[in-house]
């Protein structure tokens, strides 16, 4: 399984563990729990049978084993040796025995759609040996689903950042999936999920997160059926921190942006919003990506050959459809100064220089912004931004948001 990096949201996975009884495979039949030095006779055999009972969670021959919870447990004894390999290649899978000797787990998450073999031995209090083996295959990507989520574990984000899942399969069992994801805040704010279609699930409180609060997301989708024959493969706890409160308001009438931090005005910045032909959306928008420099090509947003700028500085995404707040170094000298007239193709532009260097308004705003900060646009002749166009569910009234929950 390819391990995702932090920039791309991480996915985790596993199918439900299948707990079975002790697997007793031997070369020519018989009881694998029997001691090697067992002697003939009914009374002698019973005396030498190990009391240790081994359980390998993945049933021998199974094809949907968990990549998160597959392991070995023993009762009435202690593990003495566990060997796990990739079947066929013999590649060893690292793992560790618990301090009490009662269980063993792989060190890393297993790969999906891969055949493995586990061989385990244990001894009871009298030193008698028990053994168990299993050859199994982990759940395949065709029969499992994952959700790419934001924000990342351990990050600090702005007060507007929702928890957002995008699933790689259509989810028909929305209630089952949503009920196995819980989001809570140290602030005590009630957090509710909302479905946008059948593959996206966002969570947020009624109002912006409280500054300084800690948010915990528990993903317990391992083995949850999201659609017919398609099961979740994620089991993880993610925590992130809400930073200071920063909400910036762009007034298209005055072509200015007022930056407020913790309720107090920090700075007023002249901007250039969309032109009369290419207006800027109204509404509450959340910064979802930040780029020191990035390319912007009009063809990627459904326009013709209007522009193709390879090094747009200090760019921060506000919508999936292509609205950014960014630096502008190509602003024509024949245009009025920033703060006088909207001339962009729908983005919010700030004065900047090529190369993303220098003490410019754009650099100041970029340096003072977090992912999850809110940018509100008002008094534009355009419509309000759609709540699913970016991380912009704040544009739904609370009763509408709650109505989109499956639980």
């Amino acid at each position: 399984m390819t391990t995702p990096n932090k920039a791309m949201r991480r996915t985790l996975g596993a199918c439900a563990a299948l707990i079975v009884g002790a697997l007793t495979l031997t070369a020519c039949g018989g009881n694998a729990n029997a001691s090697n030095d067992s002697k003939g006779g009914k009374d002698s055999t019973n005396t030498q049978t190990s009391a240790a009972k081994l359980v390998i969670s993945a049933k021998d021959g199974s094809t949907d084993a968990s990549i998160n919870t597959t392991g070995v447990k023993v009762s009435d004894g202690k593990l003495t040796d566990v060997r796990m390999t990739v079947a066929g290649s013999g590649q060893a899978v690292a793992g560790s025995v618990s301090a009490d000797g009662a269980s063993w787990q792989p060190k890393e998450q297993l790969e999906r759609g891969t055949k493995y073999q586990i061989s385990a031995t244990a001894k009871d209090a009298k030193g008698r040996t028990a053994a168990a083996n299993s050859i199994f295959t982990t759940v395949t990507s065709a029969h499992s689903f994952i959700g790419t989520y934001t924000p990342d574990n351990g990050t600090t984000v702005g007060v507007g950042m929702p928890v957002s899942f995008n699933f790689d399969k259509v989810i028909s069992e929305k209630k089952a999936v949503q009920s196995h994801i819980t989001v809570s805040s140290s602030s005590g704010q009630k957090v509710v999920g909302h479905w946008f279609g059948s593959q996206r699930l966002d969570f947020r409180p009624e109002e912006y997160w409280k500054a300084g609060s800690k948010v915990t997301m528990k993903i317990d989708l391992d083995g949850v059926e999201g659609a017919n024959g398609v099961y979740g493969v994620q089991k993880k706890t993610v925590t992130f921190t809400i930073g200071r409160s920063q909400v910036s308001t762009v007034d298209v009438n005055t072509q200015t942006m007022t930056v407020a931090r913790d309720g107090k005005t920090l700075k007023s910045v002249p901007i250039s919003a969309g032109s009369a032909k290419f207006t800027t959306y109204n509404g509450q928008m959340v910064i979802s990506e930040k780029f020191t420099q990035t390319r912007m090509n009009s063809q990627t947003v459904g326009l013709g050959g209007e522009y193709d700028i390879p090094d747009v500085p200090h760019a921060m995404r506000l919508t999936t459809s292509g609205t950014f707040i960014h630096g502008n170094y190509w602003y024509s000298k024949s245009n009025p100064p920033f703060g006088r007239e909207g001339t962009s193709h729908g983005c919010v532009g700030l004065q900047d220089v090529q190369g993303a260097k220098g003490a410019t308004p754009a650099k100041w705003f970029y340096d003072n912004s977090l992912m999850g900060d809110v940018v509100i646009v008002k008094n534009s002749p355009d419509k309000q931004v759609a709540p699913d166009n970016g991380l912009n569910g704040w544009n739904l009234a609370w009763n509408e948001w709650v109505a989109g929950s499956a639980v």
Side-chain angles (χ1 to χ4, degrees):
M1 180 176 180
T2 302
T3 301
N5 56 42
K6 288 186 176 179
M8 303 177 62
R9 304 183 172 70
R10 289 133 325 277
T11 58
L12 300 169
C15 189
L18 301 177
I19 306 300
V20 300
L23 301 176
T24 57
L25 306 179
T26 60
C28 300
N31 191 337
N33 287 338
S35 170
N36 290 335
D37 60 358
S38 174
K39 298 178 181 179
K42 182 176 180 181
D43 293 338
S44 174
T45 301
N46 288 342
T47 301
Q48 296 301 321
T49 299
S50 177
K53 292 180 173 55
L54 282 160
V55 175
I56 299 176
S57 62
K59 183 179 179 180
D60 186 44
S62 62
T63 57
D64 56 358
S66 170
I67 64 175
N68 288 320
T69 59
T70 292
V72 182
K73 292 184 178 181
V74 63
S75 58
D76 298 322
K78 290 187 177 183
L79 291 168
T80 55
D81 184 53
V82 178
R83 297 183 183 183
M84 184 175 186
T85 59
V86 178
S89 72
Q91 178 183 349
V93 176
S96 60
V97 177
S98 62
D100 61 2
S103 63
W104 178 94
Q105 286 289 127
K107 183 179 179 181
E108 303 288 344
Q109 184 184 64
L110 303 181
E111 299 288 341
R112 286 194 288 180
T114 303
K115 183 178 283 189
Y116 292 96
Q117 179 172 0
I118 293 179
S119 298
T121 58
K123 286 186 178 181
D124 64 10
K126 294 183 178 181
R128 295 172 297 194
T129 298
N133 296 274
S134 180
I135 298 176
F136 56 91
T137 303
T138 52
V139 64
T140 66
S141 58
H143 292 97
S144 62
F145 71 89
I146 56 176
T148 302
Y149 59 83
T150 191
D152 293 342
N153 184 51
T155 55
T156 297
V157 297
V159 296
M161 177 63 79
V163 169
S164 183
F165 278 83
N166 283 279
F167 299 104
D168 66 345
K169 301 283 197 309
V170 170
I171 303 298
S172 58
E173 302 299 327
K174 292 181 178 179
K175 182 177 181 179
V177 170
Q178 184 179 336
S179 63
H180 283 83
I181 303 173
T182 59
V183 182
S184 59
S185 173
S186 63
S187 67
Q189 291 173 277
K190 180 181 179 181
V191 184
V192 175
H194 180 97
W195 287 89
F196 293 108
S198 58
Q199 291 183 252
R200 177 175 168 184
L201 172 62
D202 285 14
F203 293 83
R204 71 165 176 91
E206 182 173 2
E207 298 178 345
Y208 300 145
W209 302 102
K210 300 297 184 185
S213 58
K214 305 285 186 180
V215 180
T216 301
M217 170 176 53
K218 292 184 178 180
I219 308 167
D220 191 19
L221 292 173
D222 191 8
V224 175
E225 190 169 23
N228 186 27
V230 180
Y231 297 87
V233 291
Q234 290 171 283
K235 188 177 182 67
K236 188 177 183 181
T237 298
V238 175
T239 59
F240 59 94
T241 301
I242 306 301
R244 76 290 176 274
S245 172
Q246 182 165 299
V247 179
S248 302
T249 303
V250 173
D251 188 336
V252 175
N253 277 346
T254 62
Q255 294 291 307
T256 59
M257 177 173 66
T258 303
V259 183
R261 180 172 294 179
D262 297 323
K264 297 180 180 180
T265 299
L266 192 62
K267 196 169 187 177
S268 183
V269 183
I271 59 95
S272 178
S275 67
K277 183 178 180 181
F278 301 103
T279 51
T280 304
Y281 287 126
N282 285 294
Q284 304 170 75
M285 290 173 262
V286 172
I287 296 174
S288 59
E289 292 180 316
K290 292 182 67 179
F291 305 97
T292 304
Q293 294 186 84
T294 192
R295 179 185 178 187
M296 290 188 179
N297 187 323
S298 56
Q299 294 182 342
T300 65
V301 291
L303 300 177
E306 300 276 344
Y307 57 86
D308 185 2
I309 305 169
D311 57 350
V312 177
H314 300 121
M316 292 179 282
R317 181 182 291 276
L318 299 178
T319 70
T320 306
S321 62
T323 307
F324 281 77
I325 183 165
H326 61 76
N328 181 333
Y329 67 80
W330 56 90
Y331 195 77
S332 174
K333 292 182 179 180
S334 62
N335 289 332
F338 281 89
R340 302 289 283 285
E341 182 180 335
T343 61
S344 81
H345 287 79
C347 292
V348 177
L350 293 83
Q351 184 181 0
D352 211 341
V353 294
Q354 191 168 16
K357 296 180 180 179
T360 64
K363 185 178 187 305
W364 176 87
F365 186 65
Y366 184 91
D367 290 345
N368 283 276
S369 295
L370 291 173
M371 297 263 289
D373 280 350
V374 180
V375 176
I376 301 173
V377 177
K378 66 179 185 179
N379 296 323
S380 172
D382 207 332
K383 62 184 179 182
Q384 179 172 282
V385 64
D388 61 346
N389 187 1
L391 303 176
N392 300 326
W394 301 103
N395 294 287
L396 281 178
W398 184 239
N399 64 325
E400 294 178 285
W401 183 267
V402 172
S405 173
V407 298

